[in-house]
Amino acid sequence: MNAKAILITYPEEESINEALSLAETAGYDVKKIVKQKHITRSRYGIGKGKALEVKDLLDTMNIDVIIFDEVLKPSQHYNLASLCKKEIIDRERIILEIFERRSSNSESRIQIKLAQLRYEMVRVKEKVRLAKIGEQPGFFGLGKYDADIHILDIKSRMSILKKKLEKEEKRRKLYRYQRNKLGIPTISLVGYTSAGKTTLFNHLTGESKITGQGMFTTLTTFTRALNLNENKVLITDTVGFVNKLPAYMIDAFKSTLNELVFSELILLVLDISQKINDIKIKLNSSLHIMNELQVPNTKIIYLFNKIDLTDLNDAYDKYIDLGLEDSNHIVLPISSKTGHNLDKLKDLIGDIIYGKKISIKNNRKFFK
Ligand SMILES: Nc1nc2c(ncn2[C@@H]2O[C@H](COP(=O)(O)OP(=O)(O)O)[C@@H](O)[C@H]2O)c(=O)[nH]1
Ligand SMILES: [Mg+2]
């Protein structure tokens, strides 16, 4: 069963949606959302009054953890945890937990372990700093001497991991062009957190779940069979892009996407109901990462998801604004919620992967 959580985040809808998706992806069941304009305040992250409110909520609800949608300093973490007597998972930790759940190869497991050690290192150093200035002595039961040993230990673990990583990178480069193990074409869903990847994944594979036999038992929960009339492909719901991803996590993030090079087709999911500037930023950074992973642009289909929240005219304007009409991009407005155009999407995937040449000269037809 999933751990039950209180989520503390900003009041903007976008922040709430993203934080909710992150919590869900990490396997938490959010029972209550607490919103506050400022969540980087000094003592508890949130203001004292709000912190007491959270404490009261905890007394009346059956909650396992507090998810805090910002990065907490160790002292803030300590203060809030002491007040509420609950485990606190901050934004960086939840992202690391997601990466850990989704890592599918040894290289990404090492990268994620390295990122986790960096996370730990920052916190131990802060404890040492606080101990030195006489605040929080014996912070979390750690004396300064213990903390120094701890830092040395983290450093040596990191250097061992870095050596392992070099070997794995070499190996990956060697096997880069090897086909995937099952020999069945694979397609991948990519996009920002809360764009609707998982909803689409569930919608597309809903009927195929029962195929959990034979070779499909080797699949993970994030890769399933997708039936297209007589044919089959495998579809993977990849880890989502995250706003404000800390720099030290970028390698770990990219490594979870390494397998994209084995994908026949990439479905790039965009939330088309968002403001054009937000979509632009997200599209550009998604394409930038794909480029770094050496995924050819020609493998990408752009899915304008959540079309039910806007209309085709608006989607068409955005399509022009994003500059997607200039080349041979395939763009399809869909709704993972209502199912709009999902049959068309399946036909399209089938056509692209199983032979039929497709030439979509005029995307405009999709916007009718
Ligand atoms: N209105 C609408 N909501 C959607 C659609 N697709 C997904 N959502 C909602 O958007 C939120 C994030 O979806 P999710 O699939 O978890 O996004 P992911 O983070 O990309 O996997 C959820 O609340 C979904 O119910 C859609 O086509 N229309
Ligand atoms: Mg998801």
Side-chain angles (χ1 to χ4, degrees):
M1 226 188 40
N2 289 350
K4 293 187 260 321
I6 282 189
L7 169 64
I8 301 174
T9 183
Y10 292 101
E12 289 79 23
E13 201 187 331
E14 157 124 39
S15 301
I16 297 171
N17 286 341
E18 192 201 40
L20 265 177
S21 277
L22 287 175
E24 219 165 80
T25 311
Y28 296 97
D29 188 0
V30 175
K31 292 291 182 197
K32 173 87 191 164
I33 301 174
V34 174
K35 302 166 210 169
Q36 201 175 37
K37 206 164 165 203
H38 302 286
I39 64 174
T40 51
R41 289 261 151 87
S42 58
R43 199 163 156 71
Y44 301 100
I46 45 178
K48 175 119 199 237
K50 209 67 171 182
L52 289 168
E53 225 175 88
V54 171
K55 182 180 155 44
D56 286 345
L57 278 171
L58 288 164
D59 289 339
T60 59
M61 296 174 74
N62 178 16
I63 294 290
D64 304 304
V65 295
I66 299 172
I67 297 176
F68 199 96
D69 189 26
E70 259 296 346
V71 190
L72 283 171
K73 286 190 193 132
S75 57
Q76 294 170 325
H77 193 131
Y78 176 81
N79 293 337
L80 192 61
S82 316
L83 180 75
C84 296
K85 310 261 182 310
K86 281 284 168 210
E87 184 184 358
I88 297 168
I89 297 170
D90 74 1
R91 186 177 165 92
E92 289 190 359
R93 211 181 112 191
I94 208 162
I95 295 171
L96 290 171
E97 284 184 8
I98 292 171
F99 288 175
E100 193 170 8
R101 274 165 77 104
R102 294 302 185 92
S103 68
S104 53
N105 55 64
S106 40
E107 187 179 341
S108 71
R109 274 188 284 275
I110 297 170
Q111 287 280 19
I112 289 155
K113 194 77 222 164
L114 275 170
Q116 285 167 338
L117 287 172
R118 275 184 201 120
Y119 177 91
E120 207 178 316
M121 177 79 99
V122 171
R123 275 142 194 87
V124 178
K125 281 191 173 158
E126 171 75 3
K127 281 177 206 166
V128 172
R129 194 186 66 82
L130 289 172
K132 270 187 190 148
I133 58 173
E135 264 183 51
Q136 322 261 9
F139 194 74
F140 284 147
L142 264 184
K144 155 133 177 54
Y145 176 75
D146 296 327
D148 283 342
I149 300 279
H150 198 161
I151 289 175
L152 282 176
D153 176 51
I154 293 177
K155 279 186 180 156
S156 83
R157 278 152 75 197
M158 286 176 82
S159 76
I160 294 168
L161 285 171
K162 280 179 189 156
K163 284 197 189 100
K164 274 197 191 164
L165 187 63
E166 276 170 28
K167 275 193 201 141
E168 288 297 331
E169 277 169 351
K170 272 189 200 131
R171 192 152 74 185
R172 171 167 56 90
K173 282 182 185 133
L174 215 55
Y175 291 106
R176 189 185 150 94
Y177 297 104
Q178 211 175 49
R179 294 297 311 250
N180 71 63
K181 296 152 221 134
L182 294 167
I184 299 171
T186 303
I187 62 180
S188 297
L189 289 167
V190 301
Y192 267 80
T193 299
S194 90
K197 295 180 299 300
T198 304
T199 312
L200 177 61
F201 179 75
N202 290 335
H203 210 122
L204 287 176
T205 61
E207 326 88 76
S208 325
K209 265 184 212 162
I210 342 105
T211 352
Q213 285 170 352
M215 64 165 91
F216 292 108
T217 50
T218 55
L219 301 179
T220 66
T221 27
F222 311 113
T223 298
R224 288 191 205 142
L226 165 59
N227 297 318
L228 311 160
N229 298 321
E230 305 96 81
N231 294 315
K232 236 189 222 351
V233 296
L234 298 180
I235 183 164
T236 300
D237 181 14
T238 66
V239 62
F241 295 70
V242 184
N243 287 314
K244 302 185 283 182
L245 188 69
Y248 78 92
M249 289 191 196
I250 289 173
D251 286 339
F253 170 70
K254 282 202 288 194
S255 70
T256 67
L257 293 178
N258 271 340
E259 321 246 313
L260 283 188
V261 296
F262 298 123
S263 280
E264 220 84 359
L265 199 62
I266 311 284
L267 308 180
L268 176 52
V269 184
L270 297 163
D271 177 350
I272 204 62
S273 72
Q274 293 185 315
K275 288 190 223 76
I276 183 68
N277 284 335
D278 292 338
I279 303 173
K280 252 184 207 165
I281 292 168
K282 288 177 178 174
L283 176 63
N284 288 337
S285 69
S286 306
L287 291 177
H288 180 72
I289 300 248
M290 302 289 183
N291 193 29
E292 285 186 329
L293 293 167
Q294 301 182 11
V295 172
N297 274 356
T298 49
K299 280 193 180 176
I300 302 172
I301 291 185
Y302 301 82
L303 298 178
F304 282 10
N305 192 36
K306 307 199 189 182
I307 193 72
D308 57 296
L309 294 181
T310 169
D311 57 52
L312 287 177
N313 286 331
D314 175 55
Y316 184 73
D317 290 344
K318 285 169 175 164
Y319 160 70
I320 301 290
D321 228 340
L322 293 169
L324 289 171
E325 62 150 4
D326 296 338
S327 38
N328 290 324
H329 299 304
I330 300 175
V331 181
L332 188 65
I334 60 164
S335 168
S336 306
K337 200 162 198 166
T338 67
H340 180 77
N341 270 349
L342 295 192
D343 283 337
K344 225 177 247 176
L345 173 61
K346 281 199 203 179
D347 290 345
L348 201 58
I349 295 169
D351 288 352
I352 292 171
I353 292 185
Y354 288 99
K356 268 192 248 167
K357 260 200 204 144
I358 68 146
S359 65
I360 298 182
K361 294 227 173 63
N362 188 357
N363 265 304
R364 252 163 261 232
K365 69 182 182 197
F366 289 127
F367 291 93
K368 283 191 189 131

